[in-house]
Amino acid sequence: MRIPGSSGGWWGRKSTPGKIETYTRWSFHLFAVIEVAVVGLPAFAQAGSGLAAWLPAVVTVHAVLCSRTASQALDWTRGRRERPVRLLWTFGAVTVLIAVVAIVLTEHGPGGEHLAAATNTVFVGVLGFGGGTLALGVRGRRHVLAVVAGCVAGALLVQLPLGVALPAALGTAFAVLVSCGGLAFTSAFSVWLLDAVYELDEARETRARLAVAEERLRFGRDLHDVMGRNLSVIALKSELAVQLTRRGRPEAVEQMIEVQRIARESQREVRDVVRGYREADLHLELAGAQGVLAAAGIECEITGEATGLPVEVQSALGWVVREATTNVLRHGDAGRCMVGVRVGVGCVVLTVENDGVKGDGGAPGGAGSGAGQVGCAGGAGGGDVGSGRGTGSGAGQVGRAGGGDVRDGEGAGGGAGLVGSVGGGAGLVGLRERLSAVGGALEAGAVEGDRFRVVATVPLPAATGGVAS
């Protein structure tokens, strides 16, 4: 029941896993900006002159490589490309080279204490951000820990041969452990969370497919139970009738009469099975919808009563509830769904509305003074459900145009309908066919920006027509 041509913007058109992936991807791009701000700029301020201009430039180059490596590594974790082995090795080599040059300048640079402090900051920052980014390119907890351990061990092995005092070397290695370990944990957790979101989305799709498959199996079992025995009996009695006919026995006629009776009985039973398959009980569908949506973490509120409705009306509205609930689960990002059943003058109106849908839906229509009581009549003096044409200026509550009746929305009044007419989609077409069989109508569309509303209206016989609740 998606709206053809609806547009909720670049962000609104994304699925929930797509939004999480975009957020994760841009978070790692933001890490590059953080590296420049936290490592490059302080190094520039500490160095003073001489090499000061080169330090932020080197850090910026490393940050750009971090962003590039993170992007391709995320594509690899999603299975969209091969592991970027060459880029990972290149990035690792650049990280080691910058770290070695930084520690050499820290101990033997010409700039004194200011340059030593700046290059030490670059040393710790480059190893921290480098190790954290490299953790995206490996799988498994052991490999992530190996990357962190390698960065810490490398920090010690580079410092000690250059004559750095052991306490200072241990302090720097600890700083590398904290920065690299924290970023590596962030990287591993982000990949795990992204994988979990996609797996949950696939599980939801699988659940919908399994529900359809289970219903098909149930229908197949019913047909097998009905037809299997009867067809076997028909085959045996037909064979017996053939043998009796060849022998000129009059009992063959009785056997064929029995075959005819069994065939008619089978025909009736098949019709009963199909009828039970095609019909849906509204009360059961409402209860089932509430349970399924609650299990999916979607709050579902059901209002109104559906007692005393004809069987064919309940069946048609039950299918609307079933189809609408399926689409709430499969589409959009719903957190709340409201289902309302209202019995009005001459008709019953079923409304299913959920949030989490981005679109250009219109606002509720007009301010006319004669809106139908529950969508069963149009504007002031509006027609009835079947064929009346409203002439008032109020907006029709369910029609396509103001003051119109619920079937085709024709009317002389102005004002937009509450729910726009939307075509397309096999689900909508099937529901309209079921509702048209009982004289009903279906409208569906986005309303108030981020909500989707389905309104089904079915006329009632005069004996069962109620008063609006």
Side-chain angles (χ1 to χ4, degrees):
M1 289 190 183
R2 287 190 181 277
I3 308 172
S6 66
S7 174
W10 168 75
W11 182 258
R13 290 191 297 269
K14 287 182 174 292
S15 63
T16 298
K19 291 177 181 178
I20 299 296
E21 181 178 353
T22 301
Y23 170 79
T24 303
R25 192 176 295 273
W26 281 101
S27 296
F28 283 105
H29 291 325
L30 183 61
F31 282 173
V33 179
I34 294 175
E35 182 179 2
V36 174
V38 174
V39 179
L41 296 182
F44 178 80
Q46 291 171 340
S49 60
L51 294 174
W54 289 99
L55 290 178
V58 169
V59 172
T60 301
V61 171
H62 186 265
V64 172
L65 275 175
C66 276
S67 179
R68 176 70 174 172
T69 304
S71 179
Q72 293 196 15
L74 283 175
D75 288 339
W76 167 66
T77 61
R78 296 305 321 137
R80 297 178 187 141
R81 61 172 302 147
E82 297 292 331
R83 179 186 292 191
V85 178
R86 184 174 301 177
L87 179 60
L88 290 172
W89 279 105
T90 302
F91 175 69
V94 171
T95 300
V96 172
L97 178 62
I98 295 175
V100 170
V101 172
I103 199 64
V104 169
L105 291 176
T106 299
E107 296 301 319
H108 306 289
E113 294 182 0
H114 293 291
L115 179 62
T119 52
N120 191 64
T121 301
V122 172
F123 177 77
V124 174
V126 165
L127 284 180
F129 281 96
T133 304
L134 286 173
L136 287 172
V138 297
R139 284 180 177 168
R141 181 175 54 187
R142 294 182 180 178
H143 293 90
V144 173
L145 293 177
V147 170
V148 176
C151 290
V152 176
L156 281 174
L157 293 176
V158 169
Q159 291 181 88
L160 294 178
L162 294 175
V164 180
L166 182 60
L170 290 175
T172 302
F174 179 75
V176 172
L177 173 63
V178 172
S179 60
C180 182
L183 290 173
F185 172 79
T186 301
S187 299
F189 180 78
S190 298
V191 172
W192 173 83
L193 179 62
L194 189 60
D195 290 341
V197 170
Y198 272 101
E199 288 176 2
L200 287 174
D201 188 68
E202 292 174 0
R204 185 173 65 175
E205 294 291 334
T206 302
R207 180 177 58 187
R209 289 194 297 268
L210 287 176
V212 174
E214 183 179 358
E215 184 65 14
R216 289 174 177 171
L217 288 174
R218 185 192 69 81
F219 184 65
R221 287 194 302 268
D222 290 347
L223 278 181
H224 179 269
D225 293 342
V226 169
M227 297 300 297
R229 178 185 61 84
N230 290 348
L231 288 177
S232 298
V233 174
I234 288 174
L236 289 174
K237 287 188 173 294
S238 299
E239 184 178 354
L240 177 59
V242 170
Q243 297 296 331
L244 291 174
T245 302
R246 289 176 177 174
R247 297 175 184 177
R249 302 281 296 274
E251 293 88 345
V253 177
E254 297 178 2
Q255 295 298 325
M256 292 308 301
I257 292 175
E258 183 68 11
V259 167
Q260 187 180 38
R261 185 191 64 79
I262 296 174
R264 288 176 178 174
E265 182 181 349
S266 300
Q267 202 173 27
R268 178 184 57 79
E269 291 178 349
V270 169
R271 281 197 299 266
D272 291 339
V273 170
V274 174
R275 186 181 301 112
Y277 178 75
R278 292 174 62 90
E279 290 180 355
D281 183 83
L282 181 56
H283 296 86
L284 294 179
E285 293 298 333
L286 289 173
Q290 191 170 33
V292 170
L293 293 176
I298 301 173
E299 181 182 354
C300 180
E301 178 184 356
I302 297 179
T303 59
E305 294 291 337
T307 58
L309 297 178
V311 175
E312 61 274 10
V313 174
Q314 289 201 41
S315 178
L317 294 180
W319 274 101
V320 175
V321 173
R322 182 183 299 181
E323 181 69 20
T325 302
T326 301
N327 282 279
V328 170
L329 290 171
R330 297 184 63 182
H331 305 306
D333 188 16
R336 179 178 174 83
C337 179
M338 292 169 287
V339 183
V341 182
R342 302 184 68 186
V343 181
V345 180
C347 77
V348 57
V349 178
L350 172 70
T351 303
V352 181
E353 182 177 317
N354 64 278
D355 59 4
V357 176
K358 301 296 183 181
D360 301 327
S369 59
Q373 196 168 16
V374 286
C376 300
D384 62 14
V385 180
S387 59
R389 300 294 187 266
T391 58
S393 60
Q397 196 172 9
V398 182
R400 296 187 183 91
D405 79 73
V406 299
R407 228 181 247 202
D408 54 18
E410 297 177 5
L418 177 62
V419 180
S421 174
V422 180
L428 285 175
V429 173
L431 290 181
R432 286 196 175 100
E433 290 177 353
R434 292 181 184 276
L435 290 172
S436 64
V438 292
L442 179 75
E443 296 294 338
V447 292
E448 300 179 5
D450 64 344
R451 293 188 299 162
F452 192 85
R453 182 178 296 164
V454 177
V455 180
T457 308
V458 178
L460 293 174
T464 59
V467 180
S469 57

